[in-house]
Amino acid sequence: MIALRLIAAALAIVLAGALASCATTKEDFMTPQEAQQQVIEILEGTMLASGATGWVPDRKGLAIPQECVRNGQSGVAFGHGAYTTTLGSDPLADAQRVADYWETLGIRSRMVTDPVPRVFGEGGPVNAISFSTAPTYAISVGGPCVPGNSYDFYDQTPTPRPWP
C-alpha cells in the first residue's frame, strides 16, 4: 500500500512537470514583428517615464535581431537602447519613475543607488532591461525570445560604416 502511494506521488510529480513544460505563454504566439515593436514601445515609454529629453535611439531607432533558443527551438529576440546627455535635475526621482513605469508593465525591477541611481528589470514583456543615470542617461532593452528566424531581419539593420 505504501509502495502504491509512493508510485502515485511520483506520477503526480512527473505529470505536473509535463504539464508545466507544455504551458504556453504570450511569447509562444507573438510574431517577430510584434516582439520587435514591443521592444521599441517599451524603450519609448521608458524614455518618457525618465523625464529626460534629447534621447538618441541606437541604430537609427531599429531594434536589432539576435538568435535565441526557446523551448529547444531556434528563435529571435530583439535588443534596443538609447542615451541622452540632457540629464534630469533629480536622477533618483527619475530612476524611481522608470521603476514605477516598469512595474505597470509587469517588469520586476530593483534599484541600486550607490554610486549612482540605476534600475534593473526582468520578466513580463522583456528578458532584461536597465536604466542608468551616469555618466549619461542610458537605457538597454532585451526583448523576449519568440519563434522566428533572426536572419530574416538583418536586412533591416543599418550596417555601420567600415573603418578606413
Side-chain angles (χ1 to χ4, degrees), residues 128-146:
I129 189 168
S130 65
F131 171 77
S132 180
T133 61
T136 66
Y137 278 21
I139 304 165
S140 180
V141 183
C145 185
V146 300

Side-chain angles (χ1 to χ4, degrees), residues 29-143:
F29 301 102
M30 185 179 282
T31 67
Q33 293 82 0
E34 291 168 333
Q36 185 179 38
Q37 185 59 37
Q38 177 177 272
V39 165
I40 292 168
E41 290 170 2
I42 291 169
L43 177 68
E44 291 172 348
T46 302
M47 290 188 292
L48 286 172
S50 75
T53 59
W55 285 96
V56 179
D58 296 342
R59 298 168 295 277
K60 300 181 182 179
L62 292 175
I64 297 297
Q66 304 166 14
E67 282 186 273
C68 59
V69 176
R70 179 172 180 78
N71 300 327
Q73 300 293 320
S74 180
V76 60
F78 292 90
H80 207 347
Y83 70 92
T84 183
T85 55
T86 308
L87 306 181
S89 60
D90 188 351
L92 184 59
D94 295 343
Q96 185 61 57
R97 274 194 314 278
V98 166
D100 293 343
Y101 167 66
W102 290 353
E103 292 290 333
T104 68
L105 299 177
I107 299 170
R108 294 178 304 281
S109 63
R110 67 179 175 88
M111 189 179 317
V112 177
T113 58
D114 185 24
V116 297
R118 296 176 314 276
V119 187
F120 301 95
E122 65 180 353
V126 300
N127 182 42
I129 189 168
S130 65
F131 171 77
S132 180
T133 61
T136 66
Y137 278 21
I139 304 165
S140 180
V141 183

Side-chain angles (χ1 to χ4, degrees), residues 36 63-67 76-79 149-154 157:
Q36 185 179 38
I64 297 297
Q66 304 166 14
E67 282 186 273
V76 60
F78 292 90
N149 184 345
S150 61
Y151 295 103
D152 292 342
F153 297 90
Y154 284 125
T157 307

